[in-house]
Amino acid sequence: MHQEPAPNGHQSSDVASSVPPAQRSIFRVEAMQRYRENQDRVELPRLVTPRVFTILWVLVLLLLVVGSTIAFWPLLNQLG
């Protein structure tokens, strides 16, 4: 038996014709698989760039040094 090509140039398959039109997907199987794989992958949003992240850490360390100096200022004055 020879199948006639469908109007879009592809061979029509018995599987596609046996599935009711309401249940057929308009998307390619490979595209759906890639979509599902990407949905399964957990990806956190990038809130800041690495440069900003580094600057923020330097700022935190600077604040800690200044805060410690202010907190221990009376002790430093007694020693000196």
Side-chain angles (χ1 to χ4, degrees), residues 11-72:
Q11 293 286 333
S12 62
S13 67
D14 292 334
V15 175
S17 61
S18 66
V19 177
Q23 293 179 353
R24 272 193 305 208
S25 176
I26 62 171
F27 302 105
R28 295 185 325 268
V29 174
E30 300 87 20
M32 289 299 294
Q33 286 174 340
R34 271 187 269 127
Y35 174 77
R36 279 192 220 105
E37 288 170 2
N38 288 336
Q39 291 296 101
D40 292 343
R41 192 173 17 156
V42 174
E43 197 168 308
L44 297 174
R46 187 175 215 165
L47 300 175
V48 293
T49 62
R51 184 176 180 184
V52 172
F53 188 72
T54 303
I55 291 171
L56 289 174
W57 270 113
V58 168
L59 185 62
V60 166
L61 291 174
L62 182 66
L63 288 173
L64 283 173
V65 168
V66 169
S68 298
T69 303
I70 291 172
F72 290 107

